[in-house]
Amino acid sequence: MNIQTIENSEELKNHISALIVIEPRFAAAYEQVGVPNLRHNAGGFKQLMRAMVGQQLSVTAAASIWQRLVDANLTTPQKITKATDEALREQGLSKQKTRYVRSLVEHDIDFAVLETMSNETVIKTLTVVTGIGRWTAEMYLLFSLKRADVLAIDDLAIKVAAMTLLDLPERPTPKQLNNLTQDWSPHRSAASLLLWSYYGSLRNKTAIPL
């Protein structure tokens, strides 16, 4: 199995160039936003836990709760297993988020093995954890595993940016967007990054998650 990744900005530029050949309308967006930041992270248990903690919270609130968990040394499977639900709630985790974090611990994911799996197998492996949906798994593929062909079709900013870029009459559904962008493979991560940046320029705010 050939797993393609994007390791640096030069490789991203190459993917963008190839993407523009396939879909020339990306040229104007690229000229407007330049080369997006790859925003890579180390991945692993803490990265997924932090993503779960931050779900449906403002950036500020998520950062505050995460820092409290870090300060309390409650960000490893071993420490969480020994901690009571009350101890986790004291750091700001809701009852639901506590359940999510415990599910992540219980599934004991081998994060090194994820690097050898296909994109869909990674998604299936991660989404068995309570609290991890397809979008979160795709973010892990993009930013932690550096995969080159991931389009986050459920992401609101990407749908809005694609509607503008492709001159669609209305915001596409995930299924419509998936069908419209099959030809962009194997450069869909570059498309995701460009669409997030393009959305940011349209709305004058940062759209790239994490």
Side-chain angles (χ1 to χ4, degrees), residues 83-102:
T84 63
D85 287 358
E86 182 180 0
L88 293 170
R89 284 198 298 271
E90 285 175 356
Q91 310 311 321
L93 284 189
S94 65
K95 183 177 180 180
Q96 184 182 53
K97 296 283 179 70
T98 297
R99 184 162 59 91
Y100 290 176
V101 169
R102 292 208 184 280

Side-chain angles (χ1 to χ4, degrees), residues 1-106:
M1 179 177 57
N2 181 27
I3 295 175
Q4 281 193 295
T5 60
I6 299 177
E7 299 291 335
N8 51 55
S9 294
E10 283 303 313
E11 290 185 8
L12 176 56
K13 287 180 185 178
N14 292 336
H15 278 274
I16 291 172
S17 296
L19 177 64
I20 289 171
V21 172
I22 298 167
E23 176 47 78
R25 284 175 285 192
F26 270 107
Y30 182 40
E31 184 176 346
Q32 185 170 330
V33 303
V35 181
N37 190 327
L38 285 168
R39 300 284 290 275
H40 287 158
N41 58 59
F45 179 88
K46 286 185 180 180
Q47 184 61 39
L48 271 180
M49 179 180 169
R50 186 168 188 172
M52 297 169 92
V53 168
Q55 288 175 3
Q56 299 178 321
L57 294 177
S58 70
V59 172
T60 302
S64 174
I65 292 172
W66 180 252
Q67 190 58 52
R68 287 164 64 181
L69 289 163
V70 170
D71 292 343
N73 196 20
L74 289 172
T75 60
T76 66
Q78 297 80 8
K79 294 293 184 180
I80 291 164
T81 298
K82 293 178 181 178
T84 63
D85 287 358
E86 182 180 0
L88 293 170
R89 284 198 298 271
E90 285 175 356
Q91 310 311 321
L93 284 189
S94 65
K95 183 177 180 180
Q96 184 182 53
K97 296 283 179 70
T98 297
R99 184 162 59 91
Y100 290 176
V101 169
R102 292 208 184 280
S103 180
L104 181 60
V105 172
E106 289 163 7

Side-chain angles (χ1 to χ4, degrees), residues 25 157-172 177 180 195 198 202-203:
R25 284 175 285 192
I158 282 182
K159 288 187 283 188
V160 171
M163 179 181 71
T164 302
L165 184 81
L166 303 177
D167 196 26
L168 302 175
E170 59 186 6
R171 189 188 306 162
L177 188 57
L180 282 168
L195 288 169
Y198 185 51
L202 293 172
R203 301 299 172 92

